[in-house]
Structure formats: structure tokens, C-alpha cells
Amino acid sequence: MERFRRFLSRHPRAYRVWFAVLSWLGHRRIPLLRAKLNTLWGMISIQGCLSIVNPGDIIAVRSYRFLTSYLIPGRYSHSVVYTGGGFVIHAVSPRVCEEKLERFLLEYDGFILLRPRGIYDWKKADREAFLNLKIGYDFSFAPDNKESYCHELSAKVIEKGTGRKVPIKGDRYTWNDIAAVCDVVMEV
């Protein structure tokens, strides 16, 4: 994987092709599978989440309908940061964007709500700062450049809000790295 990353960093055209292929794959859904949260039980779970979520909380999601869920290791393939007012920010192709939490969760089969441990100052990690950076999506999944993928964005928000580095196991952030510095508030 490291060799492939170096190759992509030296060949911008190859990176653009890789970016296009993964963007296309990321938006493909497996037909006939319905999101479990898009049910009555799911709506009750989402309302429960909305009643206890705080700005700066991390929500990691899983889905059996998106092809990328089978390509990304771990139980939760995507993570978002709750910014308050019913909105989340997350890194998706082509950049970091903001979306309504309720609408976002309806696409998935389950989620886990994580709250960073210790003193957490959301004002330091505020959403405007991340949205105004116009951070691009990182298909190399390397935590050492200016672009971000979803779990890396979550780690950056935690680091900015707590002042502590999120330890990374391996060559990229996973939801396990995020969960290691957070308390589980709710899991559906």
C-alpha cells in the first residue's frame, strides 16, 4: 500500500484516475438492500441520538448497501462530526461538507455515538474552521498531507478540541483509533 501511495504522489494523473474510480464506487449501492435505519425502529434510534448528541461528538456509521463498505476495513466504514443544530461535517468525495444528521443517518444500517474523553472545547475545533479550509478528500488515506478522509477528519477535530494527539495504529486512522480516545454513548 505504501508503494502505491508513493506512486500516486509522484503521478498526479494516476491520482486523478484513482480519485474518479473510488468516487464512482463510493456512490454505488447494492440494489434491493434497504437501510435498516430507514425504518420505524431506525427513526426512533435517530431521534434518541438527536436528543443526546453534543457538538464535537463523533458518529461512526456502517452500511451493507454501499460497495465501499466492503472495501474499507472495520465495523464502521465512515465517521462524521456533529457540529450542533442538527448538522454534521464529514469528508466525502470531493471535499469536507456539511449535512443534516437525520438525513445522513437514514442511509445507514447502524451507528455508534462517541464522545471524546477529557476536557473538550468545541469552540477550538469549530465547524467553520474545517468547512472554510476546503479540505479535499484523501484517496491515498495517508494522514500526512493536507487532504482528509473521514476518520482522519474526526481525529483532527478531536485533537483540536482536546489538545491531545489521537494515537494511530498502523498506517492510517480507523474507527478503532477514534473509539480508543472516546466513550461510547450509544450504539445502534
Side-chain angles (χ1 to χ4, degrees):
M1 188 62 164
E2 186 55 39
R3 252 176 139 173
F4 185 62
R5 284 188 190 147
R6 282 195 306 263
F7 172 80
L8 289 176
S9 68
R10 288 190 309 265
H11 298 88
R13 188 169 182 188
Y15 181 82
R16 285 192 300 276
V17 170
W18 182 243
F19 179 93
V21 167
L22 288 183
S23 291
W24 181 84
L25 266 178
H27 299 293
R28 297 302 110 202
R29 293 186 176 127
I30 299 170
L32 303 176
L33 288 179
R34 184 174 175 199
K36 290 181 183 171
L37 290 178
N38 197 356
T39 62
L40 178 61
W41 170 246
M43 291 302 292
I44 292 168
S45 301
I46 290 170
Q47 291 307 313
C49 175
L50 286 169
S51 69
I52 60 174
V53 68
N54 292 333
D57 285 352
I58 308 297
I59 302 165
V61 292
R62 68 176 180 274
S63 175
Y64 305 112
R65 299 179 329 127
F66 294 102
L67 288 176
T68 50
S69 298
Y70 297 97
L71 303 173
I72 298 172
R75 180 176 168 109
Y76 297 99
S77 58
H78 190 63
S79 62
V80 300
V81 180
Y82 184 71
T83 60
F87 286 90
V88 294
I89 57 170
H90 59 127
V92 291
S93 171
R95 69 188 170 285
V96 173
C97 66
E98 188 172 44
E99 191 172 346
K100 285 286 277 178
L101 173 61
E102 192 170 1
R103 184 178 168 287
F104 172 78
L105 287 177
L106 288 175
E107 293 288 323
Y108 292 93
D109 295 307
F111 66 89
I112 186 168
L113 175 59
L114 303 167
R115 186 158 294 147
R117 285 189 202 110
I119 298 169
Y120 190 82
D121 185 359
W122 174 242
K123 287 182 178 50
K124 282 187 184 174
D126 95 80
R127 76 190 230 305
E128 293 300 324
F130 284 96
L131 287 172
N132 289 334
L133 285 176
K134 306 287 188 228
I135 300 170
Y137 191 81
D138 185 9
F139 282 110
S140 69
F141 297 101
D144 57 354
N145 58 22
K146 292 192 185 323
E147 297 175 318
S148 287
Y149 57 97
C150 59
H151 298 316
E152 182 182 6
L153 177 69
S154 297
K156 286 177 180 177
V157 169
I158 291 170
E159 289 171 1
K160 200 157 184 181
T162 63
R164 292 189 319 267
K165 185 118 175 79
V166 175
I168 186 171
K169 295 178 187 146
D171 61 348
R172 64 176 177 249
Y173 289 105
T174 66
W175 84 271
N176 290 321
D177 298 324
I178 305 303
V181 297
C182 295
D183 293 320
V184 175
V185 177
M186 175 183 191
E187 186 169 9
V188 175

